[in-house]
Amino acid sequence: MSFSGKVFIGALGTITSFSIMLFMLFFILRDGSVMLGYSKALVPLSDERTDQLFNRIADVIYAVVFGTIVTALIQGALTGLALAVVGIPAPVVFGVLAAIFSLLPIGGTAIVWLPACLYLLASNQWGAAIGLGLWGMLLVGTIDNFLRPLLVSSRGHVGTLLVFIGVLGGITAFGMVGLLLGPVILALSIALLRFTREQREAESQPLPPSS
C-alpha cells in the first residue's frame, strides 16, 4: 500500500473514531442519569461500596478531561509562541488551531507547525525553520506524553505510570475513545481489586469474643 493510501486510511479511522465518540457523548449527556441508575443496580456490591466505586470512576473521568484540556491549551500556547517568535502571521489563531489539533491521535500540533516550517524553508529562513522544527518535535510534540498523565494522576488519585499505560493502551485498543476509556477501565480494575483485598482482610480478622 502506498504512503498516501496509508495516510488516507489513518485519517479515515481518526474521523470515524471521533464521530463515534461524539455519538456516544450525545447519548451519555442525554441519558446519563438513567444509565447511571441501571449501572449501579447491576453492581454486586453494597450501596456504600457502589457509591465509592462510581465516585472513583467520576474522579478519573474528570481528571482525564481536565488533563486533556490543559495539555491541549499548553501545546497550543507553545506553538503560538514559537510562531510569533519566527514571524508567522496570526500566531494566536494558529495556536488555537494547534490546541484543537493536539486532541487528534494522528498529526496533532504538527498539522500547524510543520507547514510553517515548510513556509520558512521556502522563504530561505533556514535558521527559523530548523528552530521551529526542533521546538515542535522535541517540546510541543512530546510534552503531552508526560504532562497529561501527570495532570490526570494528580486529580484522579491514580499513579502517573498507570495513567500513562492506560492512555496508551486505550488509544491502541479503542482509538480516540480510548483516551477516556483507557484510564477509566484501569481505575475501575484497581478499585475492584482494592475492594476485594479489603473485603478479604475484613473476613480474615477474628471475630470479637461473645459476652
Side-chain angles (χ1 to χ4, degrees):
M1 183 182 295
S2 63
F3 177 75
S4 59
K6 292 181 180 180
V7 171
F8 175 76
I9 293 177
L12 184 61
T14 301
I15 295 174
T16 302
S17 299
F18 187 73
S19 301
I20 294 174
M21 183 189 69
L22 293 179
F23 181 78
M24 294 175 59
L25 183 61
F26 169 77
F27 286 100
I28 290 174
L29 292 176
R30 193 188 69 174
D31 305 322
S33 57
V34 178
M35 294 180 182
L36 183 62
Y38 283 126
S39 300
K40 285 187 175 181
L42 295 174
V43 176
L45 295 172
S46 64
D47 292 340
E48 180 181 0
R49 288 295 193 184
T50 301
D51 290 338
Q52 291 177 358
L53 179 61
F54 277 81
N55 288 337
R56 174 64 61 83
I57 295 174
D59 289 340
V60 174
I61 292 176
Y62 292 145
V64 171
V65 174
F66 170 81
T68 301
I69 293 176
V70 171
T71 302
L73 292 176
I74 292 176
Q75 287 184 291
L78 291 174
T79 303
L81 176 63
L83 296 178
V85 171
V86 297
I88 298 295
V92 175
V93 175
F94 287 114
V96 172
L97 291 176
I100 296 174
F101 288 136
S102 68
L103 300 175
L104 300 178
I106 299 177
T109 56
I111 299 176
V112 174
W113 59 259
L114 185 57
C117 289
L118 297 177
Y119 168 78
L120 293 173
L121 289 175
S123 304
N124 292 324
Q125 302 181 52
W126 293 89
I130 294 174
L132 179 60
L134 292 176
W135 180 272
M137 288 187 296
L138 300 180
L139 181 61
V140 180
T142 60
I143 193 174
D144 62 319
N145 293 330
F146 61 89
L147 182 59
R148 183 185 291 115
L150 185 63
L151 292 172
V152 173
S153 64
S154 65
R155 297 178 65 91
H157 308 291
V158 182
T160 304
L161 178 61
L162 292 177
V163 175
F164 180 76
I165 295 174
V167 170
L168 292 183
I171 293 176
T172 303
F174 305 107
M176 192 170 183
V177 182
L179 190 68
L180 177 63
L181 288 182
V184 170
I185 293 175
L186 192 60
L188 175 61
S189 302
I190 293 173
L192 290 175
L193 291 174
R194 186 174 299 168
F195 291 163
T196 303
R197 184 191 64 184
E198 293 175 356
Q199 183 67 27
R200 289 184 176 180
E201 290 177 352
E203 293 175 353
S204 63
Q205 293 179 356
L207 297 175
S210 57
S211 56

